[in-house]
């Protein structure tokens, strides 16, 4: 998995994706999701590092079956809020 962390005025923005979806575009109906290097590119991370980033995130964007499943398993994302976009999954996390 790849993790990119950015500090913003609103808090920590975390972008996580499966390594194999970086650079890919997924579509379902009117929804199109491009996993760009600019936004999702970052450092390779193991599951512990991904969980640590999600625990500290104010906002997180998560793409890829493995990454989204980990976020669900660790209680950060509810399965009911996951989008199926083409052959991948996408979820967002927002802490208020």
């Amino acid at each position: 998995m790849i993790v990119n962390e950015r500090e913003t005025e609103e808090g920590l923005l975390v972008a996580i994706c499966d390594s194999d979806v970086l650079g890919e575009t997924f579509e379902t109906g009117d929804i199109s999701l491009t996993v760009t290097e600019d936004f999702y590119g970052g450092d390779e991370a193991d599951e512990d590092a991904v969980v640590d980033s999600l625990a500290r995130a104010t906002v997180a964007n998560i793409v890829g079956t493995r990454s989204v499943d980990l976020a669900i398993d660790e209680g950060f994302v509810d399965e009911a809020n996951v989008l199926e976009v083409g052959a991948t999954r996408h979820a967002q996390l927002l802490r208020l």
Side-chain angles (χ1 to χ4, degrees):
M1 289 173 275
I2 299 172
V3 175
N4 184 325
E5 294 185 356
R6 296 177 184 86
E7 281 295 337
T8 70
E9 291 180 16
E10 291 79 26
L12 181 65
L13 169 62
V14 176
I16 299 170
C17 71
D18 291 359
S19 301
D20 63 340
V21 302
L22 189 62
E24 299 292 326
T25 297
F26 301 93
E27 296 180 343
T28 297
D30 292 340
I31 298 172
S32 179
L33 172 65
T34 301
V35 188
T36 64
E37 177 75 35
D38 285 344
F39 189 77
Y40 288 95
D43 299 321
E44 284 285 337
D46 62 17
E47 289 186 358
D48 289 338
V50 170
V51 169
D52 178 65
S53 288
L54 287 171
R56 294 181 291 107
T58 304
V59 176
N61 288 277
I62 310 158
V63 179
T65 302
R66 182 173 174 221
S67 297
V68 171
D69 286 351
L70 178 62
I72 292 167
D73 291 346
E74 294 294 326
F76 295 106
V77 173
D78 187 315
E79 176 81 39
N81 297 319
V82 174
L83 292 175
E84 302 287 337
V85 184
T88 197
R89 304 179 92 197
H90 173 64
Q92 293 181 318
L93 166 70
L94 175 63
R95 273 198 192 87
L96 300 174

